[in-house]
Amino acid sequence: MIRKLFYFSSPQNFYPLAGKLWPVFACLATALTVWGLWLGMFVAPTDVQQGEGYRIIYVHVPVSWMSMVIYLAMAFWALLGLTFNTRLSGMLTNALAPTGAIFAFLSLWTGALWGKPMWGTWWVWDARLTSELILFFLYLGFIALTSAIDDARRADKAGAILALVGALNVPVIYFSVKWWNTLHQGASVSLTKGSSMQQTMLEAMLIMAVAFWMYAIAMTLYRVRSIILIRERHSQWVADLPEVKALSLEART
Amino acid sequence: MIWSSFSDFWSMGGYGLYVWGSFGVTAALLAAEAFWIRRGRQNALNHVVAELQAADANGKDWR
């Protein structure tokens, strides 16, 4: 097992593995989305308090969770990269960031569209919303910082430090509804107290959360392959790849 | 089935704009990302091949 981990921590070995795995995760994401949306939009009942407007929950909660999970995953790879100096860690951190930024944006967007009919406002500077906005800026900052530094290794180091320091914001987002008096409601699903939601609603939301998780993995695996190609372009194994050879032949003729 | 008609489904009990605005933008952004990463791979491959050919043309074996 440990030996396998070491084997796949080399970009050369991870590239074909990622190529085999991303379609699996993409298929899982599609199937789960169809299932989750069907359950959420056609089976789950109307909410007593919020009518049909509550159905935003099937995107809002999963994208918000994923925006935090992806940032924690970035911090994890950043820490691994800083301590063991593994090349793949920095590439994975980079591959995660754009998907995380999209999820953070979607969290704010769907939140605004939910806030308007329920609270009467698109936006308030409450602790939950503000800390999620900071998360979105952290993603943008990470992308800007790493792309501004030409040397890939130095970019990885700088990015890793930002990812680690920024990770302190994630628990702040999660617990903000407890620590402060926020307009944003408290958690409907909690690990300690269970759920206050109706069963079908809860199931649909959790299925959508897993679907977005699979989607994020598929995107990251696909994107990391491009990053590996660019960073390892001077090595022989890249020149020997069938897709590179095919394109070389095409370009020559 | 909880909906009586398509227009009933579409209006989402008066919350149509908000619900479909959320789902629509989410779907659009995820589709855009899928498109971006495909283009990213194409760019990466082109970049690699261009450098390989430039190296061949120079006759240098810098690999």
Side-chain angles (χ1 to χ4, degrees):
Chain A
M1 180 67 194
I2 297 284
R3 196 182 267 179
K4 268 237 161 87
L5 277 182
F6 274 114
Y7 177 79
F8 285 120
S9 70
S10 133
Q12 177 177 358
N13 299 327
F14 193 74
Y15 180 88
L17 178 71
K20 270 195 210 115
L21 286 181
W22 79 260
V24 178
F25 287 102
C27 287
L28 279 172
T30 313
L32 287 166
T33 304
V34 172
W35 184 24
L37 282 182
W38 175 75
L39 211 56
M41 303 309 274
F42 296 104
V43 181
T46 308
D47 187 70
V48 192
Q49 285 173 12
Q50 304 198 353
E52 309 299 352
Y54 92 91
R55 289 181 203 276
I56 295 175
I57 204 172
Y58 301 122
V59 283
H60 179 71
V61 172
V63 295
S64 307
W65 280 350
M66 285 318 297
S67 71
M68 293 187 276
V69 167
I70 292 176
Y71 204 89
L72 290 180
M74 280 171 64
F76 169 78
W77 289 116
L79 187 66
L80 217 63
L82 283 179
T83 40
F84 297 109
N85 216 12
T86 41
R87 280 180 301 160
L88 188 61
S89 312
M91 302 185 198
L92 280 166
T93 319
N94 274 294
L96 282 160
T99 305
I102 288 175
F103 280 141
F105 172 80
L106 284 173
S107 168
L108 296 166
W109 176 266
T110 56
L113 281 170
W114 202 355
K116 186 64 186 167
M118 302 304 164
W119 303 338
T121 176
W122 303 103
W123 179 263
V124 280
W125 291 100
D126 108 335
R128 173 55 75 78
L129 280 68
T130 309
S131 51
E132 180 71 28
L133 182 68
I134 291 172
L135 181 71
F136 178 54
F137 288 149
L138 280 169
Y139 278 120
L140 296 186
F142 177 90
I143 295 169
L145 179 68
T146 49
S147 53
I149 303 174
D150 283 332
D151 180 57
R153 293 233 135 184
R154 284 185 53 221
D156 281 353
K157 282 231 167 79
I161 292 165
L162 179 61
L164 279 173
V165 174
L168 291 173
N169 183 44
V170 174
V172 174
I173 301 174
Y174 190 77
F175 293 110
S176 56
V177 287
K178 265 195 192 153
W179 293 345
W180 291 283
N181 193 6
T182 52
L183 186 55
H184 194 286
Q185 64 173 79
S188 304
V189 184
S190 121
L191 289 176
T192 46
K193 276 179 294 184
S195 157
S196 58
M197 286 167 73
Q198 192 265 349
Q199 193 62 32
T200 323
M201 292 179 185
L202 176 69
E203 274 171 27
M205 189 181 85
L206 292 179
I207 293 166
M208 289 302 287
V210 181
F212 279 119
W213 201 314
M214 299 298 113
Y215 167 88
I217 296 176
M219 288 291 132
T220 304
L221 289 175
Y222 196 98
R223 194 179 282 115
V224 82
R225 274 161 62 85
S226 305
I227 297 174
I228 292 175
L229 278 178
I230 291 285
R231 294 221 190 157
E232 303 278 296
R233 65 185 183 276
H234 297 310
S235 54
Q236 187 60 45
W237 75 267
V238 169
D240 291 339
L241 283 172
E243 53 266 44
V244 171
K245 283 201 161 147
L247 198 62
S248 299
L249 276 177
E250 226 176 87
R252 214 166 281 154
T253 50
Chain B
M1 183 66 85
I2 50 172
W3 311 102
S4 53
S5 67
F6 182 74
S7 65
D8 191 21
F9 178 63
W10 185 243
S11 75
M12 277 286 148
Y15 292 109
L17 173 69
Y18 306 106
V19 173
W20 298 121
S22 297
F23 281 73
V25 171
T26 303
L29 265 183
L30 300 192
E33 189 185 13
F35 171 78
W36 287 330
I37 61 163
R38 291 191 86 93
R39 213 181 48 179
R41 176 166 168 81
Q42 217 49 56
N43 288 345
L45 281 170
N46 288 337
H47 188 99
V48 169
V49 168
E51 275 207 12
L52 281 173
Q53 283 176 338
D56 280 349
N58 284 338
K60 276 189 287 189
D61 192 18
W62 43 263
R63 272 186 258 123

